[in-house]
């Protein structure tokens, strides 16, 4: 996860059909994911990109090369396909570290918010860990869906609890 402020004048977006609905990604000129999620509306994603990174313009493309391939491969059962896709987000020091730590949680092994806080190096910062999940702009590539409530409850998800359940079941099956 890059922490440098690299604001693109132009970014690119593409939408892919998935079993749980349209999935759109926005990438900077260098191909790094700025935002992604299960929506067909680019504006839904622009709103969650840090102002320091938010592009002035987004052009639509049929696909985004390796990013689109990774999304398709993940939904087809190749769960590690999204792991190496580069992501760029901005937040405070803890939040950026927490997003990087979240990328180490393997598919099929969800963690609790308490586990996630410990993984991010601040075991007492459970609310801050939950906030990092809520502010994650790069869903799937930074797998916030793999974090559950203490006791195993599914918790919330920007793209809907049904989508989160599908993702967890998909990862458990594969």
């Amino acid at each position: 996860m890059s922490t440098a402020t690299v604001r693109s004048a132009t970014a690119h977006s593409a939408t892919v059909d998935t079993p749980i609905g349209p999935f759109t990604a926005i990438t900077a000129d260098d191909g790094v994911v700025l935002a992604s999620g299960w929506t067909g509306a680019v504006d839904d994603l622009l709103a969650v990109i840090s102002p320091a990174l938010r592009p002035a313009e987004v052009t639509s493309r049929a696909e985004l090369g390796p990013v689109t391939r990774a999304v398709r491969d993940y939904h087809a059962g190749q769960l590690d396909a999204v792991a190496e896709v580069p992501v760029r987000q901005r937040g405070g020091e803890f939040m950026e570290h927490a997003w990087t730590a979240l990328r180490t949680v393997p598919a099929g092994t969800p963690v609790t918010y308490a586990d996630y806080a410990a993984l991010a190096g601040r075991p007492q910062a459970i609310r801050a860990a939950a906030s990092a999940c809520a502010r994650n702009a790069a869903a799937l590539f930074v797998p916030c869906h793999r974090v559950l409530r203490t006791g195993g409850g599914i918790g919330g998800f920007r793209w809907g609890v049904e989508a989160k359940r599908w993702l967890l079941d998909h990862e458990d099956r594969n």
Side-chain angles (χ1 to χ4, degrees):
M1 179 122 17
S2 173
T3 59
T5 299
V6 179
R7 187 174 183 155
S8 254
T10 303
H12 311 284
S13 71
T15 301
V16 178
D17 288 328
T18 74
I20 52 176
F23 182 91
T24 301
I26 296 175
T27 61
D29 282 333
D30 60 2
V32 175
V33 173
L34 299 175
S36 55
W38 289 268
T39 180
V42 170
D43 287 345
D44 290 347
L45 297 173
L46 281 173
V48 298
I49 298 173
S50 166
L53 299 174
R54 193 171 298 138
E57 179 183 351
V58 179
T59 60
S60 179
R61 293 187 169 175
E63 64 174 64
L64 300 171
V67 172
T68 300
R69 277 191 302 281
V71 171
R72 285 186 177 127
D73 290 349
Y74 170 88
H75 286 87
Q78 296 176 25
L79 304 179
D80 61 348
V82 296
E84 299 303 317
V85 172
V87 170
R88 184 176 298 127
Q89 297 193 75
R90 293 286 296 169
E93 183 180 334
F94 173 76
M95 197 157 301
E96 290 180 18
H97 177 71
W99 290 325
T100 298
L102 189 50
R103 294 193 83 181
T104 69
V105 176
T109 58
V111 297
T112 65
Y113 286 104
D115 295 335
Y116 176 39
L119 184 64
R122 290 185 41 205
Q124 302 304 315
I126 297 168
R127 285 186 182 187
S131 180
C133 282
R135 291 192 46 206
N136 173 31
L140 187 60
F141 303 102
V142 178
C144 54
H145 64 275
R146 295 180 186 154
V147 182
L148 305 173
R149 289 183 176 160
T150 301
I154 197 162
F157 188 53
R158 174 179 286 135
W159 308 110
V161 172
E162 298 80 21
K164 184 173 183 173
R165 173 55 53 208
W166 187 93
L167 293 164
L168 293 169
D169 290 347
H170 177 63
E171 292 181 355
D172 193 46
R173 283 189 305 272
N174 292 288

